[in-house]
Amino acid sequence: MSTCKVCNEPAPLYGVTDFNKSCEERRGRYLPLTGVPVYYNRCDACGLIFTTAFDHWSKADYLQHIYNDDYVLVDPDYIDSRPTGNAAFILDFIKKGQGLRCLDYGGGNGTLTSLLGEGGVDGHSWDPMDEEGVPPSGSFDFISAFEVLEHTPEPLATVREALGLLNGRGVLLFSTLTIDHVSPRGMDNWYIAPRNGHITLYTRRSLQAMFAGLGYRIHHFNDNLHMALKEDPDWLS
Ligand SMILES: [Zn+2]
């Protein structure tokens, strides 16, 4: 038994999988098993699925075991195709804004921000996993966080940090796949993948609980794309 990292309600054990289970298994690509079991819990109240297996890990541990040279094997889209698609989406999404200050939170190699810059956007990038990066200063009108929240062992702290970088009428646009309908033994779900660093999996209810607790309302475009804000800015109409 554990306690939900979002709503503090009881979260019994949900299932167990091998550390090497990755998202690429849905494309038929399997890594050899490591023999290291990773248990996940599920909140009885909000449905959050999470593991506590990495709660004691340092940044160096994550870089050694997950975000290492082999990470590209389990997430081949992160190098190029995902940033390219996301940049095009953002340029359209913010097209009514004038001179918006934008941050890509969890921006990895900075590709998305470079592409935004080519599109004339005042874009900045910061990744909490970057050992040498300095957290950005000031506040932002628009923050994107693509495929970030499922990677954090501390969802509340991560979201609080990201929202803390927004100004009063700022918008956080983020992606993470919500899995509201899982079976009582749903560990085969492709998104539950420790090798990808997918250690916190959300439901719409858990996202709503988390953002409401921080004073934000949330809008779901679909199961994967969401937006949090307090007040609609003029450019978002
Ligand atoms: Zn919960």
Side-chain angles (χ1 to χ4, degrees):
M1 184 67 86
S2 188
T3 303
C4 178
K5 292 181 177 183
V6 163
C7 75
N8 268 323
E9 293 295 319
L13 280 176
Y14 177 63
V16 61
T17 190
D18 189 87
F19 175 78
N20 255 0
K21 181 171 182 273
S22 92
C23 294
E24 283 298 289
E25 293 188 3
R26 94 194 135 128
R27 292 168 169 155
R29 298 185 198 127
Y30 293 81
L31 294 172
L33 299 183
T34 60
V36 177
V38 181
Y39 281 87
Y40 284 77
N41 293 68
R42 181 165 183 252
C43 174
D44 283 337
C46 77
L48 188 81
I49 293 174
F50 61 94
T51 180
T52 56
F54 311 124
D55 285 5
H56 62 288
W57 276 20
S58 65
K59 200 179 279 191
D61 290 329
Y62 280 102
L63 293 171
Q64 181 182 349
H65 298 291
I66 292 180
Y67 309 113
N68 52 24
D69 290 343
D70 286 341
Y71 181 75
V72 64
L73 300 177
V74 296
D75 189 11
D77 296 341
Y78 97 96
I79 302 257
D80 189 50
S81 80
R82 194 184 307 133
T84 303
N86 289 342
F89 183 86
I90 290 176
L91 288 172
D92 183 63
F93 190 80
I94 64 173
K95 63 178 183 284
K96 291 184 183 169
Q98 294 284 325
L100 299 182
R101 192 164 185 251
C102 301
L103 173 69
D104 190 34
Y105 181 90
N109 54 18
T111 305
L112 170 61
T113 302
S114 301
L115 293 168
L116 291 180
E118 289 170 21
V121 169
D122 177 18
H124 304 256
S125 181
W126 183 57
D127 197 308
M129 271 293 150
D130 185 348
E131 286 188 296
E132 279 141 34
V134 181
S137 59
S139 65
F140 294 86
D141 302 295
F142 175 84
I143 297 179
S144 53
F146 287 103
E147 303 297 296
V148 172
L149 291 192
E150 66 275 17
H151 293 271
T152 178
E154 299 178 298
L156 278 172
T158 298
V159 168
R160 200 177 283 127
E161 179 177 72
L163 293 176
L165 295 164
L166 277 180
N167 62 37
R169 297 189 79 189
V171 172
L172 172 68
L173 180 75
F174 66 100
S175 73
T176 190
L177 185 68
T178 48
I179 46 177
D180 285 69
H181 307 290
V182 289
S183 75
R185 293 282 185 272
M187 289 300 291
D188 283 343
N189 187 295
W190 70 274
Y191 209 62
I192 305 176
R195 181 60 188 85
N196 283 71
H198 285 192
I199 57 191
T200 308
L201 299 310
Y202 304 83
T203 57
R204 288 192 180 198
R205 199 152 34 127
S206 57
L207 287 179
Q208 278 157 5
M210 182 162 65
F211 282 92
L214 295 166
Y216 281 77
R217 60 191 167 84
I218 190 164
H219 173 76
H220 306 283
F221 294 100
N222 53 47
D223 284 345
N224 191 48
L225 187 65
H226 323 274
M227 172 173 73
L229 72 177
K230 283 181 170 168
E231 266 184 78
D232 288 17
D234 297 331
W235 56 265
L236 189 72
S237 56

